């Protein structure tokens, strides 16, 4: 027997769950193939979500609420040039009060976020199946998905939110450009004796950035990019030794470090799909683009993918148009490419300028930091651009 839905979503990470909620909220029948792994899992990551993403959560009735109590506001972002180069720059502080009255965003535990989105999806009537997509055929007026246990599902459009190794992307015959960096990120969290003052700090080091992001109380989350061998050493250290190494890497800026949380390693890769939509498929989140965790761009971009897809699909349904038709897919591709590709370029350039170890890219990065520190209008422009593009989906607008 073949089940039917207006929209099928593959992947129950934050991108797939957010898209499922938004499409169901518009009154369409949504089936989500969630895979067999638990949705929230044991993930030490937190995600810094900027105001447009917070507005999406508010639109879904999830903000303010239980999530807020587990999250911390981001009022200041500080960049510290911590390289051993001959020319270095002083720190640059971006303060949200320079451009408005609200924080840049909030730092939210990713497990709590996916848990809240899953609950909301269920309450909106999304049909969540603990099944893995195994095959996808995309010819004719519908797409046909088959799961590993033989369930068949037909839909007008499939939202591929199945992560970097996306089966949906491959089945829709969309190639991807992939690359890797000689780096691994250590994600964790820690207590500290000095207050974080609602400030996230990105230390630019020779092996990549080390970023601390405020959590409630005197605790911060950590994303520490290191060369693979050093990352392995840090990950297998005793808690005490790791705390000591971290405290030294932070130059004691947060006082005494203790209470190290779970440490998890993420090898650093990049990926861009050559098309973000084709053959009745729209790609969301890491199925479409992967970038290193610098400047908190990844999930913010993914939520904009989800909101854009939902807005286009709901618009098509309202006028009786095909939500998986070529015109709509082309529009989605154009809209998302404008946002994703330049941001991926900036993140890649910053990361490579640290790894290259040669004077020109290092000098350009240092010059950029100096200009941002000293020229107010440039600093404010960078802050506005960091929050998101001018053109936002309706549910993310202020
Ligand atoms: C250390 C670190 C820190 C980060 N910090 C930030 C930050 O501060 N701010 C920010 O914006 N971003 C951040 N990011 C990026 C962010 O975490 C990712 O962009 C986001 O988690 C991607 O979500 P996703 O839903 O696209 O993919 P995933 O979370 O990978 O979800 C994909 C889902 O699809 C499922 N799946 C796969 N194949 C199938 C199948 N065949 N059938 C069914 N299901 C399937 C998987 O099980 C998984 O549940 C960070 C990333 C890292 C590594």
């Amino acid at each position: 027997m073949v089940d039917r839905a207006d929209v099928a979503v593959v992947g129950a990470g934050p991108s797939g769950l957010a898209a499922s909620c938004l499409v169901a909220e518009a009154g369409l029948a949504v089936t989500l193939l969630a895979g067999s792994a638990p949705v929230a899992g044991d993930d030490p990551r937190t995600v810094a979500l900027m105001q447009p993403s917070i507005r999406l959560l508010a639109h879904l009735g999830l903000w303010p609420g239980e999530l807020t109590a587990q999250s911390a506001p981001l009022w200041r972002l500080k960049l510290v040039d911590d390289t051993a180069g001959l020319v270095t720059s002083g720190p640059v502080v971006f303060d949200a009060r320079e451009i408005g009255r609200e924080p840049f965003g909030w730092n939210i535990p990713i497990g709590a976020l996916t848990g809240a989105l899953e609950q909301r999806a269920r309450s909106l009537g999304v049909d969540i199946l603990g099944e893995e997509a195994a095959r996808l055929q995309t010819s004719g007026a519908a797409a046909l998905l088959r799961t590993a246990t033989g369930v068949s599902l037909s839909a007008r459009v499939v939202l591929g939110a199945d992560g970097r190794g996306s089966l949906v992307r491959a089945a829709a015959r969309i190639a991807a450009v992939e690359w890797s960096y000689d780096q691994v990120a250590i994600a964790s969290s820690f207590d500290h004796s000095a207050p974080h003052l609602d400030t996230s700090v990105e230390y630019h080091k020779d092996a990549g950035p080390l970023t601390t992001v405020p959590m409630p109380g005197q605790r911060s989350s950590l994303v520490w990019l290191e060369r693979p061998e050093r990352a392995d050493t840090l990950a297998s250290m005793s808690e005490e030794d790791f705390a000591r190494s971290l405290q030294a890497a932070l130059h004691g800026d947060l006082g005494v470090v203790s209470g190290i949380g779970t440490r998890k390693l993420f090898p650093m890769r990049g990926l861009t799909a050559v098309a973000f939509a084709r053959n009745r498929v729209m790609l969301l989140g890491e199925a479409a683009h992967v970038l290193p965790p610098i400047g908190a761009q990844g999930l913010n971009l993914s939520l904009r993918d989800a909101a854009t897809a939902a807005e286009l699909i709901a618009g098509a349904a309202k006028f009786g148009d095909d939500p998986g038709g070529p015109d709509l897919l082309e529009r989605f591709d154009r809209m998302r490419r404008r946002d994703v590709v330049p941001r991926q370029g900036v993140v890649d350039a910053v990361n490579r300028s640290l790894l290259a170890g040669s004077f020109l890219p290092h000098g350009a990065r240092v010059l950029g930091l100096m200009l941002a520190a000293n020229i107010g209008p440039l600093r404010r422009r960078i802050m506005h651009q960091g929050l998101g593009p001018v053109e936002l989906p309706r549910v993310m607008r202020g």
Side-chain angles (χ1 to χ4, degrees):
M1 205 186 85
V2 179
D3 286 337
R4 280 176 211 291
D6 297 320
V7 180
V9 181
V10 181
S15 315
L17 285 164
S20 301
C21 290
L22 293 168
V23 177
E25 202 214 5
L28 283 92
V30 183
T31 299
L32 169 61
L33 299 185
S36 44
V39 169
D42 175 25
D43 194 328
R45 279 179 298 173
T46 62
V47 275
L49 292 188
M50 301 304 160
Q51 286 299 346
S53 301
I54 297 295
R55 288 196 280 269
L56 184 156
L57 296 179
H59 174 83
L60 291 175
L62 297 175
W63 197 274
E66 275 172 40
L67 268 185
T68 322
Q70 302 174 59
S71 309
L74 303 172
W75 279 100
R76 270 180 300 273
L77 307 174
K78 186 171 167 185
L79 304 184
V80 177
D81 185 16
D82 202 6
T83 55
L86 286 176
V87 190
T88 54
S89 140
V92 187
V93 179
F94 297 98
D95 192 325
R97 291 173 186 89
E98 254 193 88
I99 55 167
R101 290 194 191 157
E102 49 182 14
F104 290 121
W106 290 73
N107 189 33
I108 307 176
I110 198 165
L113 176 69
T114 43
L117 284 167
E118 184 192 3
Q119 242 181 27
R120 188 70 187 118
R122 288 190 193 282
S123 73
L124 284 163
V126 174
D127 189 11
I128 302 183
L129 306 182
E131 297 267 349
E132 214 143 279
R135 286 185 57 195
L136 170 68
Q137 283 169 293
T138 59
S139 53
L144 185 66
L145 276 161
R146 272 183 224 284
T147 72
T149 62
V151 173
S152 295
L153 173 67
S154 146
R156 307 292 300 281
V157 60
V158 174
L159 302 184
D162 49 344
R164 50 187 72 189
S166 175
L167 171 135
V168 172
R169 187 181 66 230
R173 297 182 295 283
I174 301 175
V177 181
E178 292 184 64
W179 62 97
S180 61
Y181 301 92
D182 187 25
Q183 286 168 316
V184 170
I186 307 159
S188 189
S189 56
F190 61 101
D191 291 327
H192 36 81
S193 61
H196 50 51
L197 305 173
D198 303 326
T199 305
S200 173
V201 186
E202 198 169 280
Y203 295 86
H204 288 182
K205 293 178 181 283
D206 292 315
L210 181 164
T211 309
T212 62
V213 195
M215 292 174 79
Q218 300 217 154
R219 195 165 176 83
S220 291
S221 57
L222 169 74
V223 180
W224 187 352
L225 270 66
E226 265 294 354
R227 300 287 185 186
E229 256 181 46
R230 174 77 179 140
D232 281 341
T233 307
L234 285 164
S236 54
M237 276 179 182
S238 69
E239 197 181 316
E240 292 71 28
D241 287 347
F242 184 81
R244 254 194 301 277
S245 303
L246 176 57
Q247 193 175 309
L250 299 175
H251 311 290
D253 291 350
L254 286 172
V256 179
V257 167
S258 60
I260 305 294
T262 307
R263 281 166 268 171
K264 191 169 171 183
L265 298 182
F266 294 84
M268 288 295 94
R269 304 217 165 86
L271 178 150
T272 317
V274 301
F276 292 158
R278 187 183 284 169
N279 294 332
R280 297 212 165 266
V281 161
M282 292 180 184
L283 297 176
L284 312 181
E286 292 207 332
H289 44 76
V290 178
L291 60 169
I294 298 173
Q297 294 296 321
L299 187 55
N300 287 285
L301 280 170
S302 307
L303 293 178
R304 297 205 283 278
D305 298 339
T308 304
E311 191 168 300
L312 291 176
I313 290 169
K318 198 163 149 192
F319 295 106
D321 294 337
D322 181 355
D327 292 350
L328 198 96
L329 298 190
E330 253 172 53
R331 228 176 122 200
F332 176 80
D333 179 59
R334 264 200 317 275
M335 290 167 83
R336 296 313 302 138
R337 197 155 289 279
R338 277 203 291 271
D339 187 14
V340 171
V341 172
R343 281 171 203 278
Q344 262 193 323
V346 172
V347 167
D348 182 65
V350 169
N351 198 23
R352 285 185 198 278
S353 75
L354 293 168
L355 288 176
S358 50
F359 184 74
L360 262 186
H362 170 79
R365 186 182 46 80
V366 169
L367 179 66
L369 290 175
M370 284 174 176
L371 293 175
N374 293 300
I375 304 176
L378 173 67
R379 197 169 52 249
R380 288 189 280 281
R381 195 179 152 87
I382 295 172
M383 286 190 261
H384 280 296
Q385 289 194 338
L387 289 177
V390 180
E391 219 182 276
L392 283 166
R394 192 178 49 79
V395 297
M396 296 180 131
R397 286 182 206 149

